[in-house]
Amino acid sequence: MDFIDLKSQYAALRDNINARIQKLLDHGQYILGPEVREMEEALVAYTGARHCISVASGTEALLICLMALDLQPGDEIITSPFTFAATAEMIVLAGGVPVFVDIEPDTANIDANLIEAAITPRTKAIMPVSLYGQVADMDAINAIAQKHGIAVIEDAAQSFGASYKGRKSCNLSTFGCTSFFPSKPLGCYGDGGAIFTSDDRLAQACREIRIHGQSQRYLHTRLGVGGRMDTLQCAVVLGKLDRFEWEIKRRLELGDAYRARLSAAIPGLQPLAVRDDRDCVWAQYTVFVDERDAVQARLKAAGVPTAVHYPRPLHHQPAYAQYARPEDCPHSIAAAERVMSLPMSADLSDEQLNRVVTALTAALG
Ligand SMILES: *Cc1c(COP(=O)(O)O)cnc(C)c1O
């Protein structure tokens, strides 16, 4: 069993993806070719955001929107320490200071109730992470941001396709940034990402920053990066969009099936909470377990792959320790000790899910 089954997905979409790649090889516009715009338009239609700017990766998406906000040295960005390193890494690279706010212990998303106390005159933006595919409490976060005149950047690398109060992830705040890394809910066959915004001025800034700050060819009006997404990778995303709605439906169904089987009071195991007004597209199907190392070893012996997202909160990583005290964000510290991700992808069969649940129940018992 694969942790994420991309081979079955390719088998199902093979003709479509191959035809799209062949078409690209025939027209030969490898950089900013027609598929780039076609994908951006398809994703605008999907999310409802006014603009989509495809970029080289999810990491690059975060960097480019921070640059578009014109961060000054010492500007603060509020975020969660319980995330992939890129979230805080790009804040520092853009000249900012990450301010870590703890998570809710049951959803592992930033606790909106703790954000206001972290705001200072230097706060430039709030960057919630839609961890595991579930959006944080965006209405509350947007209300705080509006009150203080600051931006909100959703790190939606794990949540493309998720819904929050009837709206799509990536279209919930000033910016939404997603990733097309192969294992994400909508993946390409290499690196790729996208920025979403409905602000025309910020969209234009992101488009310029993506190509070395050019407002016209060889007129560099601002500092930028080489941040384009390959036409080839856009063709792959387009090939995968045909089945994407089905995949999201299937992910939600598998998440419900896991939950129904695992919430039956298995000692030492706690499923992730999903709030009633949103869904979770399960970039990872993550649970909290006691004695994780032993459980993982038993599952491995039973042929069930697992992973840990993430084993250390960022303020316990050497590169980011200076931004908080070690004892800060206790729920993030506790989650890092207990989270474990189980096999998940739209092509996971009911029978495979049963095998995972049976093996996990035995491993805990
Ligand atoms: C994957 C991920 C990123 C980075 O995306 P890449 O496309 O790999 O650069 C950023 N933030 C989170 C939360 C992620 O899961």
Side-chain angles (χ1 to χ4, degrees), residues 334-357:
E337 285 170 7
R338 291 183 72 220
V339 286
M340 181 179 76
S341 304
L342 301 170
M344 169 57 82
S345 45
D347 293 285
L348 189 78
S349 68
D350 295 343
E351 184 269 328
Q352 285 174 316
L353 184 137
N354 278 338
R355 266 171 56 206
V356 174
V357 171

Side-chain angles (χ1 to χ4, degrees), residues 57-59 62 83-84 86-87 129 155 157-158 179 181 184 191-192 310:
S57 67
T59 302
L62 296 171
T83 176
F84 181 59
T87 315
V129 180
D155 181 342
Q158 302 184 8
S179 164
F181 186 82
K184 308 283 170 149
D191 280 305
Y310 297 91

